[in-house]
Amino acid sequence: MGLSYQLLLCLLLCGGAKQCCSQPLWLLPGGTPTPGKLTSSVEVECLEAELVVTVSRDLFGTGKLIQPEDLTLGSENCRPLVSVATDVVRFKAQLHECSNRVQVTEDALVYSTVLLHQPRPVPGLSILRTNRADVPIECRYPRQGNVSSHAIRPTWVPFSTTVSSEEKLVFSLRLMEENWNTEKLSPTSHLGEVAYLQAEVQTGSHLPLLLFVDRCVPTPSPDQTASPYHVIVDFHGCLVDGLSESFSAFQVPRPRPETLQFTVDVFHFANSSRNTIYITCHLKVTPANQTPDELNKACSFNRSSKSWSPVEGDAEVCGCCSSGDCGSSSRSRYQAHGVSQWPKSASRRRRHVRDEADVTVGPLIFLGKASDQAVEGWASSAQTSLALGLGLAAVAFLTLAAIVLGVTRSCHTPSHVVSLSQ
């Protein structure tokens, strides 16, 4: 009786059963865990040529064990190792396997992939007791110093080899703060905000170069052929995202010839449960003294004048952005999506392959408007307050009813008259 009374009182005061239970693991849209929730459940060991991922079967910390066959690594769906352990699941993969993508930054080589938990119903049932989850996996290797266990070679290598090594170019794509001075530490943005992207190439002792963003395609996973997708830059440097009700544009002027900055209005994929986005761009360089042309340009769409304008060079180089016919071998990603290899530009045939590269930034987390979340939070608070008020009113009513009932019973108790004899 006491337990039932406490439960009733909890329901009245808290406004619902869910307020009396332990809180579940909150997931962002698409099943992506809130940062910090799964860090103790997934461990990554970065070895010299491979990575080892250890996953607790109590992935969500709820006591509900996940099934090993529901876990895969990367878009190639790499399966876990066969193990006698009952409490953990392990993956082992070479750095180039399981859809691992490499990104070269100023001071590190970054290999990244995704651990996917896709629960399936138990045979005979149509319900699930665990959520889908995408957990980014990343290994960083410093570029300075020797990261191999092999002996360092002597410095008396042939002169031609030294020159070739010095001419290697390092491309990068980073998410920046609004002031463009520092890299953004948080990957989260909201609808209505702007993402600031900076493409850059480190030239070393190379002759001065001019960097261009040939094309950019965001996808919900590191796989360039994944769906859904959206094209930001196409036709060898036309920022076509500026045509779709946005103010996305290249920044003018450039801070340096080897750097190109551009903004993209934050978006999300319609009819997709994921909120993570990976942006892959094809970057290339030309000699700094080469005049921009249809194959090497950076053009933005001006919504006020309804025209295209270049970061540098003659405005005529942007004329092909409207027709999409920029160079005889140009083919739009709108038509080529789904092919495992991006279309090659004509410029690649006349330059060494090291002068261009595909780079990826992500995972970026694009959420709904912050103001919408504030309204939802206020509404939730108001509902809680209303429920609390109704609960208190109900308790007061029950207390008053108990008092009235007690008084009524006392009034109906028979009285005993005592007669005293004279």
Side-chain angles (χ1 to χ4, degrees):
M1 183 65 182
L3 180 61
S4 300
Y5 176 76
Q6 291 178 359
L7 179 60
L8 173 62
L9 201 57
C10 180
L11 291 173
L12 290 173
L13 291 175
C14 298
K18 70 177 183 179
Q19 300 291 340
C20 299
C21 304
S22 60
Q23 294 296 322
L25 175 65
W26 290 108
L27 298 178
L28 297 175
T32 303
T34 303
K37 290 291 186 182
L38 298 183
T39 53
S40 60
S41 301
V42 180
E43 296 181 357
V44 182
E45 185 179 4
C46 302
L47 304 178
E48 179 180 335
E50 64 183 6
L51 58 87
V52 179
V53 181
T54 304
V55 186
S56 171
R57 289 193 60 193
D58 188 8
L59 180 63
F60 299 95
T62 60
K64 302 292 184 182
L65 301 184
I66 62 173
Q67 299 301 318
E69 56 268 21
D70 293 342
L71 289 173
T72 55
L73 189 64
S75 58
E76 299 176 9
N77 296 326
C78 292
R79 311 303 302 181
L81 299 174
V82 177
S83 174
V84 296
T86 58
D87 56 344
V88 296
V89 181
R90 286 189 175 86
F91 293 84
K92 181 180 291 186
Q94 297 294 312
L95 293 178
H96 63 277
E97 295 178 339
C98 300
S99 306
N100 249 320
R101 296 187 59 81
V102 60
Q103 179 179 359
V104 182
T105 65
E106 184 176 353
D107 56 358
L109 295 175
V110 183
Y111 291 85
S112 59
T113 185
V114 176
L115 174 70
L116 175 64
H117 174 246
Q118 181 66 59
R120 290 173 293 181
V122 177
L125 298 178
S126 59
I127 63 172
L128 296 172
R129 299 190 184 276
T130 55
N131 292 314
R132 173 193 171 96
D134 296 345
V135 183
I137 303 297
E138 186 175 281
C139 280
R140 289 178 173 266
Y141 295 88
R143 292 182 56 218
Q144 287 79 13
N146 179 37
V147 297
S148 172
S149 60
H150 301 295
I152 300 177
R153 292 184 177 183
T155 58
W156 42 266
V157 292
F159 176 76
S160 58
T161 304
T162 303
V163 174
S164 175
S165 176
E166 289 176 353
E167 288 185 353
K168 288 183 179 179
L169 304 178
V170 179
F171 295 86
S172 64
L173 181 65
R174 296 186 293 167
L175 182 66
M176 306 295 290
E177 295 287 357
E178 184 177 359
N179 57 14
W180 296 107
N181 293 328
T182 56
E183 186 172 358
K184 186 175 181 181
L185 299 179
S186 170
T188 303
S189 299
H190 297 84
L191 294 181
E193 297 179 349
V194 174
Y196 300 86
L197 297 169
Q198 177 170 295
E200 193 170 9
V201 60
Q202 295 182 21
T203 59
S205 61
H206 203 286
L207 294 176
L209 297 172
L210 194 61
L211 177 72
F212 293 100
V213 178
D214 200 60
R215 55 190 172 272
C216 281
V217 177
T219 52
S221 73
D223 184 5
Q224 297 177 10
T225 64
S227 293
Y229 70 96
H230 173 64
V231 180
I232 294 178
V233 180
D234 205 0
F235 310 128
H236 304 292
C238 302
L239 210 160
V240 295
D241 186 63
L243 295 170
S244 58
E245 299 298 326
S246 76
F247 293 92
S248 303
F250 288 111
Q251 297 299 293
V252 181
R254 295 173 182 257
R256 295 171 298 279
E258 64 274 12
T259 302
L260 188 58
Q261 300 169 332
F262 59 103
T263 59
V264 176
D265 289 6
V266 172
F267 63 90
H268 68 87
F269 290 113
N271 302 322
S272 175
S273 58
R274 294 188 180 185
N275 65 304
T276 55
I277 291 178
Y278 294 79
I279 300 179
T280 301
C281 294
H282 184 78
L283 309 182
K284 62 184 181 182
V285 293
T286 64
N289 58 0
Q290 177 177 317
T291 303
D293 53 33
E294 288 188 347
L295 295 177
N296 305 282
K297 61 185 182 298
C299 298
S300 303
F301 183 73
N302 190 315
R303 297 183 60 83
S304 301
S305 62
K306 304 295 182 182
S307 63
W308 292 89
S309 59
V311 174
E312 60 264 310
D314 196 341
E316 293 180 358
V317 301
C318 299
C320 65
C321 291
S322 298
S323 63
D325 185 19
C326 297
S328 59
S329 66
S330 175
R331 184 184 180 195
S332 171
R333 276 282 289 169
Y334 289 105
Q335 302 170 355
H337 187 76
V339 181
S340 60
Q341 184 177 8
W342 284 22
K344 295 181 175 66
S345 64
S347 59
R348 172 171 289 195
R349 294 197 296 268
R350 67 172 183 264
R351 292 185 288 109
H352 196 281
V353 69
R354 69 181 175 217
D355 293 344
E356 51 190 326
D358 292 338
V359 293
T360 302
V361 61
L364 308 180
I365 303 175
F366 290 173
L367 304 176
K369 290 185 178 180
S371 57
D372 294 342
Q373 294 183 348
V375 171
E376 292 175 0
W378 178 87
S380 175
S381 177
Q383 292 174 357
T384 302
S385 299
L386 179 60
L388 180 60
L390 292 176
L392 292 175
V395 171
F397 174 79
L398 292 176
T399 303
L400 181 61
I403 295 174
V404 172
L405 182 61
V407 172
T408 303
R409 287 181 176 178
S410 63
C411 292
H412 287 78
T413 302
S415 59
H416 299 275
V417 179
V418 179
S419 175
L420 297 177
S421 58
Q422 300 294 331

